[in-house]
Amino acid sequence: MCGIVGYTGCNNATPILLEGLDTLAYRGYDSAGIAVWDGEQIVMKKEKGQLANLKAIIENEPVFGVCGIGHTRWATHGEPSYVNSHPHGDTKKQLVLVHNGIIENYLRLKNMLIDRGCEFVSDTDTEVVAQLIGSVYSGDPKAAIVEAMRFIEGSFALAILFRDDPHRIYCACKDSPMVVGFGKDGAHIASDIPALLSYTRDVTFMEDKQIAVLSPEGISFFDEFGEWIDKPVVHIDWDMDSAKKGSFEHYMIKEICEEPVAFRKTAEQYVSFREMRLKGDCFPWGDGDAQSIKRIRIIGCGTAYHAGLLGKKYLTTLAKIPVEADIASEFRYADYVFEPGEVLLLISQSGETADTIAAMRMAKQAGVRTIAVCNVIGSTIAREADEVLFTYAGPEIAVAATKSYLTQATVLFLAALRLGQLRGTVSDDEVSALLAELEGLPAKMEALIEQRGDIQYFASREFSARHVFFIGRGIDNALAMEAALKLKEVSYIHSEAYAAGELKHGTIALIEEGTLVIALMTQRHLAAKTASNMEEVRVRGANVLAVTNGRLDDIEGHCSKVWQLDETNELLSPFCAIIPMQLFAYYMAVQKGCSVDKPRNLAKSVTVE
Ligand code: F6R
């Protein structure tokens, strides 16, 4: 979604803003703009399309100044165009601002402001905020923001420059993230951590209806009534290199290659491999939980939901506890009645996904305990959930989630194992044996990544496919769902996941000569069943690829190609099996010349409904 940056200090703001916007480009955008105080006036430059267009304009007409704000816009209200790009200002030309989020009552406010004489130039909800703040402004920026916030319904992260106070940036937030930090040459804001990493790793996360005032000397925070508040500084241990592409062609392949390390780093937080035991204190489960938790409801969106499906399998198998998994956008409107003893387990890489946040708040309001699996310290979900199990994937820049999925699955597996241990459904010996096997997984993952040339070759022959089906049973069905999502989002090839046994109930009608069907077969007890389904599609002309860690004689004759994985415990098989699926999606997209890291229409962090 949209990205915001801002800087005030002693250096030229323009290159800092442009670099910040570059870093945030992964969030997805269709226009960009900046506003800089040049010592006399606020100069605005904006343009539709790629950041390169904005940069070209600035190269021709350079802008110098020590205080400025910038924005990448992902259109919601009004098409991507010059006039709809941010920054926006008010009719009296007292301020300009950039905005992330959605103003839900913007039409009502717009009509009220038109009656008061405001002249609108864009179709955006953002301009309504600029006009609203301008209409209540009488020389005190903070007071105007406090007053305006009382009228606004919806979500917002705002960065505002006032003409009367041009060395300060005023920020305000509600349900949309904003991070601030003070570097050695001034104060910075951004809507996401990576844009601050070049300047500081000590940051403060803004919370709902809080106001921040950034000046070259420091940053002050205020509550929704304008009263001064103290806010904690959080140290982020991500380094700059982890947010840079380095020698890789795309972030997506870099992040796939980082999976063995991300997996190990995450597992080591929860496991003592020296003693082959789980670190009991690192899990949210207390002794009483073994009996008091009656049901776990897992919530997430997209890939995070797919990791949740693996979590469901882990919790039911290992902890023998009833588990449901739901998509957050459905769950939040399902009129669901929580039962006593129910726990909501939220999964989110960014910790900022609007629907997942809404589900979390619903549960909290109902007095239900919330536990999050999250990658970003200080994010809304990490702050508001009752307990957090962090993943240690580091920054994930490519829009398509890869290492975050793997680390979410890791945490879910370990949390299920610990709960099973407490409930007595898994013995200590079984725990040690599973952990010993887990310790060996990074080497297996690395071997798969090293052999990626084979997958690249396969993709070079298949990239003109128009439809791809992924089939599997049990855990493999959950994996198939993630494999299909990965392929469609980065390569734009229509792909579907189907429970292998369901094919006959309708979907098999779509199989024709040459249709690519990828059969995931990592569950030995289900292999023979899936092999029959492979045969059913093969005899109807499908080109079948099998991905298996089992015996080849189970599948011989039913497929034209096999990707053989090392043998692992069936519950652990997704950690290796997902890697070829992600690599396949990546190479198909590369072959097709797609924008791999920033697929069309998609945004990394879905902060609006
Ligand atoms: C797909 C993808 C999305 C996210 C989803 C949830 O590759 O990245 O489906 O998984 O938008 O995002 P988070 O995990 O940040 O809540």
Side-chain angles (χ1 to χ4, degrees), residues 300-305 347-354 356 381 396 398-402 404 408 482 485-486 489 602-606:
C301 298
T303 290
Y305 166 70
I347 307 179
S348 176
Q349 184 282 128
S350 62
E352 299 295 351
T353 301
T356 313
I381 290 177
E396 188 176 65
V399 163
T402 52
S404 62
Q408 285 161 351
E482 177 55 11
L485 176 63
K486 230 43 0 159
E489 70 179 322
L602 291 179
K604 181 67 181 165
S605 199
V606 185

Side-chain angles (χ1 to χ4, degrees), residues 183-194:
K184 83 177 162 35
D185 293 323
H188 299 259
I189 52 160
S191 38
D192 212 346
I193 298 166

Side-chain angles (χ1 to χ4, degrees), residues 64-93:
F64 297 100
V66 287
C67 179
I69 53 179
H71 190 259
T72 43
R73 172 174 188 253
W74 190 83
T76 56
H77 296 61
E79 58 174 4
S81 67
Y82 173 84
V83 277
N84 288 333
S85 316
H86 301 204
H88 290 283
D90 65 325
T91 305
K92 293 188 212 154
K93 300 198 182 312

